[in-house]
Amino acid sequence: MIDEKLLVAQLKNSNTQEKAFRSLMTVYKQRLYWHIRKIVLSHDDADDVLQNTFIKVFKNIHSFKEDSKLYSWMYRIATNEAITFINKRALNQNIDISELQYKMAENLQEDTYFSGNEIQHLLQKAIVTLPQKQQLVFNMKYFDEMKYSEMSEVLDTSVGALKASYFHAVKKIEEFIKSY
């Protein structure tokens, strides 16, 4: 287990920043990658967004107020970076975000880094039909097994609203899978 307060202090100190940043990447790289990957779906895109996330963390560590956990703050940055990436991609292709996400889910089986079976592919198709907030809440709760209190910090939403979003997401996914 890492001492976040010590790590933040080291990240903010120019003498220890580089070593601390390498430690930060070692500890959080995989978890952030998979969080981002569930949003952007593609391995290559997830790598790009992860890189942008760590650049933002490095550049903005001095503005981190420490009123939340470091991980929650980085998770929020990763989420925003992934959403921005998808929005830009949809804008560049001149299509709706939901249409882009559906295309991305359709192409998922061609991704050499996707090792899921047909059921996992169907689940991804169901997830992309959800509104963006429900997608995030579902992914964080179902895949990342985050507590509602942690999600609340990341998404800046009440626990009650998150529970309702998750409930509605599950119902919509069940309906999608039953109708398939």
Side-chain angles (χ1 to χ4, degrees):
M1 196 70 187
I2 191 161
D3 181 348
E4 277 195 358
K5 293 230 182 267
L6 177 62
L7 183 60
V8 170
Q10 292 171 340
L11 286 165
K12 290 183 176 184
N13 180 333
S14 59
N15 295 327
T16 57
Q17 188 176 42
E18 195 174 311
K19 184 179 179 192
F21 194 72
R22 280 196 301 275
S23 295
L24 176 93
M25 288 180 62
T26 300
V27 171
Y28 296 111
K29 184 179 180 180
Q30 189 172 3
R31 285 168 59 192
L32 287 173
Y33 167 84
W34 284 109
H35 170 65
I36 292 165
R37 176 81 187 264
K38 285 188 244 23
I39 299 169
V40 301
L41 300 180
S42 157
H43 166 73
D44 292 335
D45 293 343
D47 270 350
D48 291 345
V49 173
L50 181 64
Q51 183 176 0
N52 291 342
T53 298
F54 277 120
I55 289 169
K56 277 217 168 150
V57 167
F58 187 80
K59 285 182 176 179
N60 296 299
I61 192 64
H62 293 287
S63 65
F64 175 55
K65 296 179 179 85
E66 300 181 51
D67 53 358
S68 67
K69 292 180 182 176
L70 176 63
Y71 179 68
S72 298
W73 181 69
M74 292 189 321
Y75 222 89
R76 189 177 315 126
I77 292 171
T79 301
N80 291 337
E81 285 295 306
I83 291 169
T84 299
F85 178 87
I86 288 175
N87 289 339
K88 282 182 183 176
R89 169 97 26 108
L91 188 63
N92 288 342
Q93 293 182 16
N94 202 27
I95 58 176
D96 185 65
I97 293 166
S98 57
E99 186 180 340
L100 173 69
Q101 287 183 304
Y102 189 78
K103 277 181 161 180
M104 289 166 35
E106 282 291 313
N107 295 334
L108 197 55
Q109 285 187 315
E110 292 150 27
D111 186 339
T112 56
Y113 295 98
F114 180 72
S115 60
N117 59 24
E118 283 186 44
I119 292 171
Q120 290 165 324
H121 187 235
L122 181 60
L123 177 59
Q124 287 303 319
K125 283 183 181 180
I127 292 170
V128 299
T129 66
L130 299 171
Q132 198 165 55
K133 183 176 179 184
Q134 287 180 8
Q135 286 180 34
L136 291 171
V137 171
F138 182 82
N139 284 334
M140 289 176 171
K141 183 72 179 155
Y142 183 80
F143 291 111
D144 299 340
E145 299 176 350
M146 284 182 81
K147 295 177 182 162
Y148 287 111
S149 58
E150 294 172 319
M151 285 192 284
S152 178
E153 278 187 32
V154 172
L155 299 175
D156 198 24
T157 307
S158 73
V159 169
L162 292 168
K163 287 180 179 180
S165 289
Y166 184 73
F167 174 80
H168 291 296
V170 169
K171 290 293 174 205
K172 289 176 184 175
I173 289 170
E174 286 172 352
E175 290 172 18
F176 180 90
I177 290 173
K178 284 178 186 173
S179 70
Y180 210 80

